[in-house]
Amino acid sequence: MAKKAQIKRIGVLTSGGDCAGLNTAIRAVCMAAFQQGWEVYGIHNATDGLIARPMMYKKMSVLDFAVPYARLGGTMLGSNNTGVFTRQKKADGSYEKLTEKEFFKRFKEGIEQLKLDALVVIGGDGSTAIMSRLCKTANVKMIGIPKTIDNDVPATDEAIGFSTACNIVMDALDKLDTTADSHERIMVLEVMGRTAGHLALRGAIAGLADICLIPERPYNYDEVVQKLREIRASGRTHALMVVAEGLKTPEGKNVYASNGHTFGGIGQYFVNRLSEEPDKFNVRLTVLGHVQRGGSPVAMDRLLAVAFGTYAVRLLASGAKNRLVVLKNGKLTDVPLRHALKIAISPVKPNDPMVKMAKSLGMYIGHK
Ligand code: F6P
């Protein structure tokens, strides 16, 4: 590890879509930093906190965790996932659009005004990439902690929030199965996962689904129908089907939500089409949506959040900078941010153990 650093004060922020476990991670970073005798500034609403004038931040203390925040979903610091990082929310709730140059300048000023020696960024792939550029320009040390229910951050086997979201998908399937059984129905469950199907696939396996379609795996509509016919022929009159929101239609089109920029609607596509089959399938749709990002973190996410948060502080204490904390082959370690961010996202690969497991179960997950 690098030479010991003289750190006195660090910042911590959450960036990108929220998920369960963020507060546990914030607490872990703060507690571990207090142990080092450092001050911690919680930056509100991701970059907004440093860009807005007046800035939006809070000096953290142990009393912030005397209330049960760390057990809850969401983020006590607020976040931002507009995607347009130069569009900034002001303290009064209105937005201002800055040039990229002005944005970088204000970020640097913010870091300097707060006298931050380092910044711990709890974020997904997109926000970590942006934050890494900003921190480099501002000449402040950064340590990244991966979080996302999509579990698509390259370099880590698992990100904070993923396990809880998998549990939510599993729980939904458990609940849908009883109605499916009672009413002889095919239940289609649309889950999140913009470009990666980890959540859909793991949730489908844990929730004992029959079909799981994800963006990474080509599929054939007729094979979906065939699978449903096979289930019926076996004597079972109900079935569970999971589709990831980022899945394209058999015609190769993405389906967008009414806001025009997030995915949503592929489940409805299947319900409409399957209902028209001569088999008279009785099909119903459930869209889980942001339910998957909420709730109390499960033990796995809390442990991961504590492991990542405390490790991030130890890294800084040892003099390290510009690293991403990761879990690799069950081991807590770190990689250079620039390596981790070279690959845009980490998809479900053909040799993923989950793919093998699903196939062994006879689940239809697209082409063999
Ligand atoms: O990246 C996490 C994620 O939950 C995706 O799965 C989903 O497409 C997106 O965020 C939804 O974002 P928003 O909160 O903007 O609707």
Side-chain angles (χ1 to χ4, degrees), residues 112-191:
E112 285 167 1
Q113 275 178 36
L114 291 183
K115 296 189 174 52
L116 300 182
D117 302 310
L119 194 60
V120 177
V121 172
I122 308 166
D125 59 319
S127 30
T128 305
I130 293 166
M131 292 302 308
S132 157
R133 276 178 58 203
L134 284 162
C135 288
K136 207 170 162 202
T137 314
N139 198 24
V140 64
K141 291 171 183 162
M142 171 177 156
I143 301 294
I145 293 181
K147 65 86 216 165
T148 168
I149 66 161
D150 294 354
N151 207 33
D152 58 357
V153 176
T156 189
D157 295 341
E158 188 140 347
I160 298 169
F162 178 58
S163 284
T164 306
C166 285
N167 265 39
I168 293 169
V169 173
M170 178 191 76
D171 186 48
L173 288 167
D174 284 354
K175 285 171 176 146
L176 289 172
D177 193 51
T178 49
T179 301
D181 182 31
S182 308
H183 295 273
E184 305 193 334
R185 283 180 183 161
I186 295 162
M187 295 299 205
V188 176
L189 179 68
E190 181 181 306
V191 305

Side-chain angles (χ1 to χ4, degrees), residues 17 81 148-150 192-194 245 259 261-263 290 293:
N81 74 337
T148 168
I149 66 161
D150 294 354
M192 280 187 167
R194 214 172 13 219
E245 61 174 5
N259 63 27
H261 66 91
T262 51
F263 292 139
H290 293 83
R293 298 224 306 240

Side-chain angles (χ1 to χ4, degrees), residues 19-24 67-76 294-297 302:
C19 62
L22 296 179
N23 290 323
T24 322
V67 284
Y69 272 138
R71 302 172 194 281
L72 307 176
T75 161
M76 62 193 288
S296 287
R302 294 185 194 200

